[in-house]
Amino acid sequence: AQSVTQLDSHVSVSEGTPVLLRCNYSSSYSPSLFWYVQHPNKGLQLLLKYTSAATLVKGINGFEAEFKKSETSFHLTKPSAHMSDAAEYFCVVTPYDKIIFGKGTRLHILP
Amino acid sequence: NAGVTQTPKFQVLKTGQSMTLQCAQDMNHEYMSWYRQDPGMGLRLIHYSVGAGITDQGEVPNGYNVSRSTTEDFPLRLLSAAPSQTSVYFCASSYSGSPNYEQYFGPGTRLTVT
């Protein structure tokens, strides 16, 4: 069965420090993988997507993610957190014609 | 372009009432889907459609019906509302009949069932 697991429900970092949000997936074939962001009381916005072209994917607002097939991971990183990054982040896998969301990681930025 | 629109933004229902959540997109997208978002659960797929006239069930379809008579519209019907259906509902669409493209989300409908 296809699934996606976000390993942390909450992550807190200080402003200016690196961000790491972890995502593992389970799939019987090479899936498409996405990260979406949801700011408070807003809809979801695409951060980046992996579709087998390159293993290191760059997204908006300085975020990037690396696809590691051997580890079945697709972790999201950013070198330096900004207060505006405080939001909930969702890792998504798309097996066949369905979309499966992780449960989300809420990112808190400490001043 | 308006993108993906949802109406209403807020709704309160009594147990047993029925209603339809509206979703429309003006991007000529083939793929449309409905999700519910509950705290700590992420977004869960209710129903989806890969094109006009074609719908299928997602992860949590019970208590909901959909139809897709046009490319633009994908309404979600609650047949007999229950308190367990209190949630935020999002509609999304994407290019082509595949979910492997960016999903464009509507602003959401916050539903409370008392």
Side-chain angles (χ1 to χ4, degrees):
Chain A
Q2 325 293 334
S3 66
V4 58
T5 302
Q6 292 185 241
L7 298 169
D8 306 291
S9 58
H10 293 266
V11 169
S12 295
V13 302
S14 297
E15 191 174 20
T17 65
V19 174
L20 170 64
L21 305 183
R22 299 182 295 164
C23 172
N24 286 352
Y25 70 92
S26 168
S27 177
S28 55
Y29 63 99
S30 291
S32 292
L33 293 158
F34 302 78
W35 277 98
Y36 284 84
V37 60
Q38 184 180 32
H39 287 92
N41 299 314
K42 299 284 189 185
L44 283 84
Q45 179 186 17
L46 179 69
L47 268 183
L48 51 82
K49 66 177 180 180
Y50 166 77
T51 54
S52 78
T55 56
L56 184 63
V57 182
K58 293 190 184 300
I60 61 172
N61 300 335
F63 284 93
E64 60 182 38
E66 186 172 8
F67 174 71
K68 292 187 176 180
K69 187 174 181 179
S70 61
E71 299 176 10
T72 61
S73 68
F74 190 56
H75 301 336
L76 182 70
T77 60
K78 182 174 181 178
S80 176
H82 190 271
M83 294 301 290
S84 61
D85 295 328
E88 189 154 24
Y89 293 79
F90 295 96
C91 184
V92 175
V93 62
T94 59
Y96 304 114
D97 54 357
K98 293 186 180 176
I99 302 174
I100 301 175
F101 277 75
K103 290 186 171 27
T105 299
R106 187 164 296 277
L107 177 62
H108 305 270
I109 310 297
L110 308 172
Chain B
N1 285 352
V4 179
T5 58
Q6 291 183 239
T7 55
K9 284 189 168 30
F10 301 93
Q11 184 70 49
V12 179
L13 288 178
K14 295 188 188 304
T15 297
Q17 287 183 319
S18 63
M19 79 159 296
T20 299
L21 307 185
Q22 300 291 346
C23 174
Q25 52 90 10
D26 61 358
M27 298 173 282
N28 203 30
H29 284 171
E30 294 291 332
Y31 191 95
M32 296 187 74
S33 49
W34 275 102
Y35 304 85
R36 59 178 290 171
Q37 183 177 25
D38 303 292
M41 300 295 291
L43 275 74
R44 291 181 291 170
L45 182 64
I46 304 172
H47 286 285
Y48 65 99
S49 169
V50 300
I54 305 169
T55 63
D56 206 344
Q57 296 181 350
E59 181 185 357
V60 288
N62 292 341
Y64 307 94
N65 270 359
V66 292
S67 60
R68 185 96 180 271
S69 55
T70 67
T71 298
E72 295 77 21
D73 300 299
F74 191 44
L76 178 73
R77 297 182 189 84
L78 279 69
L79 308 173
S80 177
S84 61
Q85 294 178 304
T86 293
S87 188
V88 181
Y89 291 84
F90 288 99
C91 177
S93 73
S94 70
Y95 174 74
S96 182
S98 162
N100 292 330
Y101 296 87
E102 176 180 359
Q103 298 294 312
Y104 291 81
F105 285 86
T109 294
R110 187 173 294 274
L111 175 67
T112 301
V113 182
T114 61

